[in-house]
Amino acid sequence: MPNLNGEMYIHELPYDEKTQLCLLLDEDNKWELLGQRMKFNEITLSTIRKKVLKGVSPSGELLTIWENFNHTINELFILMYQMGLKNELSILKPFIIERLRILIKEDNIVNQVHRLALADSKIASDNFNKPEMKRINKMVNVEQTRDDNITLANPVKDNIKPNMALNNLNPAVQPQTPSQKESSNIMSACAGGVPHIPYQELELATDGWNKLRILGQGGFGTVYKGSWKLTQVAIKRLEIRETSRKDSNEPIRQSITEMHCLNAYRHDNILPLYGYSFGGQHPCLVYQYMSGGSLDSRIRPRDTSRILNWPVRLKIAVGAARGLQFLHTTFHNNKPLIHGDIKSANILLDPNDEPRIGDFGLAREGPERHYTHIQVTKIHGTRPYLPEEFLRSRQFSTKIDTYSFGVVLFELATARPPTGDNRVFLKDFVLNFPQENLLQLKDPKVEGGQGIFSEFIAIGKMCVQKRARERPDMMNVLLLLEGVGNVNVT
């Protein structure tokens, strides 16, 4: 019978449909690629290959093994969708949830998939693709430079160089300083259905920007706790510096990027944007207030009563992974969104310690599907969370977020900061620590949790593999973490 979410398990797939599906997957050994996406090791795949000699369908054997782990038809559908198996997807269509069926409408995949992210159809969710963005570029006198050019890398056909360019999510595009009126028009154009809030209302909401209401400060501004329309909110007030043209542009550029992302990607594990203010003394963005604080502050709290136990840490890891895989698999303009700055400080917790991914100022669109990465000329992010292929070769892909998330898992497991003693990165410290003594790294402030700790370390090591292609995608990371919850929550 279906589970509580209305999903059907693999073993519930009718015999005729399963047989037809296996016949298609057996062709050209497509089942092997599927098995790799399911994260089966080579020993398991080799065992399945031997079944072929006995006249057994390898695809049938693969699905039988996978269904023993209580996987759903929706999960199978998503894996095959990522592989582009259209005929196989049509077989599963009657058995998947309604929100997934839109993915396999003929000739309509790219234009329709973004709707999965939206609860309100009136919100302008096509900002990445529409001519509106050309108007915005013109308003801020964007100069296209070599920073806009990207090279698509295909593992099979490296000589293919499609004529494409990063669109306006690329932080390499540096707009000239716009006038106050132009800036207001830009923000309004990017806001879609997000309401504009008069600056005076936000002054009242924060008691005149009272210092006692400060939640945190960053490179481009200060975040205040406020009460707006009888609702607790977090208000990011941007500080526009006049020291250089570049400095004065960057807060605006990041705000535009963040409004685009939060408009188009709505999910339970992504921080909601309530409104924006532009035209007053300072530009402002208004978010849901996350009373649980940042994951960074809860892993290493000053108040030990707020420390996170192991089941809650697992819940946070699962939720953050779910939000990231949503960004990577919900395609706009046939491209995933890459957050680019995943770290414990950008994972925020609500009153029930449910995680929300925040701070999308450095987000960019990634490569088109079937390409491994794009080449960029500017590097943004936080050094201890970034992989070498990005820092050295400037190869930009979803696997950057996977790498960063692996470091977050190490933080959850050990409660150590990303940069430790003698400026040794946490990733290197964990990888070089003697395997037989790894349990010594477990956060000593919380009892128990040996099973969850071990899984965090093991999955984290997969995520921080040196080669991007050897890292799992976030869909598989999510499935692995959910599996930890099914087996061990202590």
Side-chain angles (χ1 to χ4, degrees):
M1 59 181 296
N3 64 20
L4 295 178
N5 296 320
E7 297 179 288
M8 294 179 63
Y9 292 107
I10 299 294
H11 65 80
E12 296 177 284
L13 189 64
Y15 176 82
D16 289 343
E17 282 77 4
K18 186 175 182 179
T19 300
Q20 187 179 1
L21 179 64
C22 290
L23 288 173
L24 291 174
L25 290 173
D26 287 345
E27 293 178 1
D28 301 321
N29 292 325
K30 286 180 283 189
W31 68 270
E32 290 201 32
L33 293 176
L34 179 60
Q36 292 170 10
R37 285 188 173 270
M38 291 173 172
K39 291 303 172 183
F40 285 117
N41 57 35
E42 182 57 32
I43 295 176
T44 302
L45 296 178
S46 178
T47 301
I48 295 175
R49 290 189 195 101
K50 294 177 182 178
K51 298 283 186 178
V52 178
L53 301 177
K54 299 180 181 180
V56 176
S57 165
S59 302
E61 189 70 15
L62 178 72
L63 294 179
T64 298
I65 296 173
W66 210 51
E67 72 184 23
N68 289 333
F69 293 96
N70 290 327
H71 287 294
T72 66
I73 295 177
N74 290 331
E75 292 170 343
L76 178 62
F77 175 88
I78 291 171
L79 293 181
M80 295 198 303
Y81 172 72
Q82 292 172 341
M83 295 172 62
L85 304 178
K86 291 186 178 181
N87 293 331
E88 289 83 348
L89 292 178
S90 64
I91 295 174
L92 297 184
K93 181 178 179 180
F95 311 104
I96 59 176
I97 57 177
E98 185 65 33
R99 294 177 70 228
L100 288 178
R101 294 181 187 178
I102 197 170
L103 292 173
I104 52 177
K105 288 187 177 180
E106 289 297 326
D107 302 320
N108 206 24
I109 291 178
V110 174
N111 294 326
Q112 297 294 336
V113 66
H114 68 274
R115 296 184 184 175
L116 295 175
L118 300 174
D120 185 348
S121 60
K122 294 182 290 185
I123 293 173
S125 61
D126 285 331
N127 289 330
F128 300 118
N129 312 335
K130 288 187 175 180
E132 182 66 37
M133 289 309 303
K134 294 181 180 179
R135 185 173 71 85
I136 293 169
N137 278 342
K138 186 176 181 181
M139 291 164 65
V140 295
N141 299 316
V142 173
E143 295 180 0
Q144 300 295 330
T145 68
R146 286 192 63 196
D147 291 335
D148 298 307
N149 295 327
I150 61 175
T151 302
L152 293 171
N154 187 303
V156 179
K157 301 179 181 179
D158 290 329
N159 61 330
I160 297 179
K161 296 183 179 180
N163 182 20
M164 299 182 61
L166 277 176
N167 69 8
N168 303 283
L169 286 183
N170 187 349
V173 181
Q174 298 292 343
Q176 297 179 10
T177 305
S179 68
Q180 185 81 340
K181 181 177 180 181
E182 287 173 334
S183 298
S184 182
N185 289 337
I186 295 166
M187 297 293 279
S188 178
C190 296
V194 178
H196 179 269
I197 304 171
Y199 185 76
Q200 292 77 8
E201 289 188 22
L202 299 183
E203 281 187 309
L204 292 173
T206 57
D207 296 332
W209 308 109
N210 190 322
K211 291 184 179 180
L212 296 176
R213 288 182 170 269
I214 292 178
L215 296 173
Q217 292 179 295
F220 296 128
T222 305
V223 180
Y224 295 81
K225 180 181 177 181
S227 179
W228 174 68
K229 295 189 181 298
L230 302 179
T231 302
Q232 287 190 329
V233 293
I235 303 169
K236 182 193 290 185
R237 191 183 74 172
L238 304 177
E239 309 292 342
I240 307 299
R241 300 183 179 90
E242 298 299 336
T243 54
S244 72
R245 173 174 291 178
K246 180 178 180 180
D247 285 342
S248 62
N249 281 333
E250 190 64 13
I252 301 300
R253 190 204 63 74
Q254 290 198 14
S255 297
I256 291 172
T257 300
E258 188 149 24
M259 291 181 71
H260 273 304
C261 296
L262 297 181
N263 244 342
Y265 295 84
R266 299 191 170 211
H267 187 270
D268 288 346
N269 297 113
I270 293 175
L271 183 66
L273 180 69
Y274 284 172
Y276 74 102
S277 177
F278 211 88
Q281 187 175 353
H282 298 277
C284 299
L285 295 176
V286 182
Y287 308 89
Q288 177 184 350
Y289 172 63
M290 304 297 285
S291 61
S294 70
L295 178 57
D296 176 66
S297 67
R298 296 292 299 281
I299 295 174
R300 298 170 282 272
R302 296 178 181 177
D303 179 3
T304 55
S305 66
R306 286 172 58 81
I307 199 165
L308 301 167
N309 62 37
W310 289 103
V312 171
R313 294 185 193 207
L314 177 58
K315 177 178 74 170
I316 291 168
V318 169
R322 185 174 289 118
L324 267 180
Q325 67 83 25
F326 178 82
L327 297 176
H328 292 177
T329 58
T330 303
F331 295 91
H332 285 266
N333 199 25
N334 204 29
K335 302 171 185 176
L337 185 73
I338 301 168
H339 184 280
D341 198 20
I342 290 297
K343 55 185 177 181
S344 56
N346 286 340
I347 298 175
L348 307 176
L349 307 178
D350 73 4
N352 299 313
D353 290 329
E354 292 288 348
R356 307 281 190 276
I357 299 172
D359 200 344
F360 281 74
L362 299 182
R364 309 188 223 183
E365 286 183 342
E368 286 193 350
R369 283 186 286 188
H370 310 307
Y371 291 94
T372 60
H373 63 269
I374 56 178
Q375 203 81 28
V376 297
T377 58
K378 290 187 180 294
I379 296 173
H380 297 267
T382 306
R383 176 64 182 90
Y385 295 90
L386 297 177
E388 289 301 311
E389 82 271 3
F390 182 48
L391 294 169
R392 294 182 181 276
S393 304
R394 304 189 182 189
Q395 295 177 359
F396 190 70
S397 71
T398 57
K399 297 303 181 70
I400 290 176
D401 284 348
T402 300
Y403 182 98
S404 303
F405 186 77
V407 178
V408 172
L409 288 179
F410 290 158
E411 289 185 82
L412 281 166
T414 68
R416 294 170 180 263
T419 303
D421 299 335
N422 300 319
R423 301 193 64 81
V424 176
F425 290 160
L426 176 59
K427 183 266 297 186
D428 296 322
F429 181 76
V430 172
L431 293 183
N432 294 326
F433 203 83
Q435 179 70 28
E436 62 275 14
N437 298 327
L438 270 178
L439 201 58
Q440 296 177 11
L441 297 181
K442 186 176 78 69
D443 185 358
K445 298 186 296 298
V446 189
E447 294 182 357
Q450 288 86 348
I452 294 176
F453 165 83
S454 298
E455 292 297 333
F456 279 172
I457 294 294
I459 298 171
K461 285 183 175 181
M462 296 180 195
C463 293
V464 300
Q465 292 276 353
K466 184 175 182 180
R467 296 182 178 180
R469 66 173 179 267
E470 294 178 357
R471 297 173 208 146
D473 57 41
M474 284 307 303
M475 173 66 72
N476 287 317
V477 174
L478 173 60
L479 294 174
L480 289 170
L481 287 169
E482 288 180 333
V484 175
N486 292 333
V487 174
N488 188 351
V489 293
T490 61

